[in-house]
Amino acid sequence: MPTLLLVRHGRSTANTEGLLAGWSPGVALDGRGAAQAAALPGRLAELPLSEIVASPLQRCQETIRPLLKARPGLTVHTDERIGECHYGDWTGRKLAELKDEPLMEVVQAHPSAAAFPGGESLRTMQTRAAEAVREWNARVERDHGPDAVYLMCSHGDIIKSLVADALGLHLDLFQRISVEPCSVTAIRYTRLRPYLVRLGDTGDFASLVPREEPPADDAPVGGGAGAP
């Protein structure tokens, strides 16, 4: 079966403002995010991509634009099932405010029980994204063969949940996974099991440099802003 490249969108204005963007309209890439997107075609230059699938949200569409320009033979397929989690009443709020919400403790420690008020549960999010991947795996294999490579541009929590699914991890462990903006995660699917062959690859180690202010112990909901 095919190899899937999961690309998280480049750093967005919501990432730098500390907002939980969700499905808020008009959330674009910031300057760093645009540079990350511009570098993506070079990073993937040796890979023969057969299809590109993306979340409908602006920050994902902007991330793949340079890649589509570099590969005019490809078009983008938009799939809402790999769109961001529906955070409901939390959408657009500052993460600094949300950390004191009682639900945040559940999101961190027992995410399989977390459902956002007015939105969806993390279990529902994972299920729809995993179903999309399985359908696209079958479609890509049918149209391009079992050795095909294709790309999905999505969001931090979506990608983390798909990695957990591929590894056979319970959703309650998915907060232990980290994927930075514009990182590439590769999963090779076979008939019996998937193999995680890259996780959150950004091509550099900037995020590992010690910071004056140490990172928080909790996982960043939505994925975080990445290296400064």
Side-chain angles (χ1 to χ4, degrees), residues 101-119:
E101 293 277 355
L103 177 61
M104 183 60 85
E105 188 176 11
V106 182
V107 170
Q108 293 294 328
H110 190 18
S112 65
F116 296 97

Side-chain angles (χ1 to χ4, degrees), residues 6-219:
L6 289 163
V7 175
R8 185 183 168 201
H9 62 78
R11 195 174 75 176
S12 72
T13 54
N15 292 145
T16 49
E17 292 169 10
L19 300 175
L20 188 61
W23 284 71
S24 299
V27 177
L29 300 182
D30 68 3
R32 182 185 177 93
Q36 291 170 332
L40 192 58
R43 293 169 62 198
L44 302 179
E46 296 183 18
L47 295 175
L49 297 178
S50 59
E51 301 281 1
I52 297 178
V53 187
S55 157
L57 293 171
Q58 180 178 337
R59 52 198 182 273
C60 286
Q61 297 287 327
E62 289 182 354
T63 298
I64 59 169
R65 196 169 292 158
L67 188 58
L68 291 169
K69 185 176 181 181
R71 303 199 186 201
L74 291 174
T75 57
V76 60
H77 304 276
T78 298
D79 194 325
E80 291 195 358
R81 294 174 297 176
I82 61 167
E84 182 63 284
C85 184
H86 291 277
Y87 295 115
D89 297 344
W90 281 24
T91 301
R93 292 181 60 187
K94 286 192 171 292
L95 290 165
E97 298 172 358
L98 292 170
K99 68 181 177 62
D100 295 324
E101 293 277 355
L103 177 61
M104 183 60 85
E105 188 176 11
V106 182
V107 170
Q108 293 294 328
H110 190 18
S112 65
F116 296 97
E120 69 179 337
S121 69
L122 288 170
R123 285 182 293 108
T124 301
M125 177 202 75
Q126 183 187 44
T127 298
R128 63 172 164 85
E131 287 177 350
V133 166
R134 282 161 174 74
E135 289 182 20
W136 275 103
N137 281 348
R139 176 173 172 175
V140 170
E141 182 174 16
R142 180 196 70 205
D143 295 344
H144 303 282
D147 297 323
V149 179
Y150 75 108
L151 181 148
M152 281 186 170
C153 185
S154 188
H155 306 266
D157 282 350
I158 294 282
I159 294 171
K160 287 162 55 178
S161 76
L162 290 171
V163 170
D165 175 76
L167 291 175
L169 292 177
H170 196 284
L171 184 61
D172 284 345
L173 301 179
F174 101 122
Q175 296 290 29
R176 302 184 185 193
I177 298 165
S178 177
V179 290
E180 291 214 352
C182 225
S183 63
V184 178
T185 293
I187 301 172
R188 181 167 61 86
Y189 288 87
T190 73
R191 186 174 65 86
L192 296 180
R193 63 181 66 89
Y195 293 89
L196 179 66
V197 293
R198 292 287 189 281
L199 175 62
D201 190 338
T202 61
D204 65 61
F205 295 94
S207 65
L208 302 182
V209 175
R211 306 181 193 180
E212 292 182 12
E213 192 172 315
D217 290 336
D218 285 342

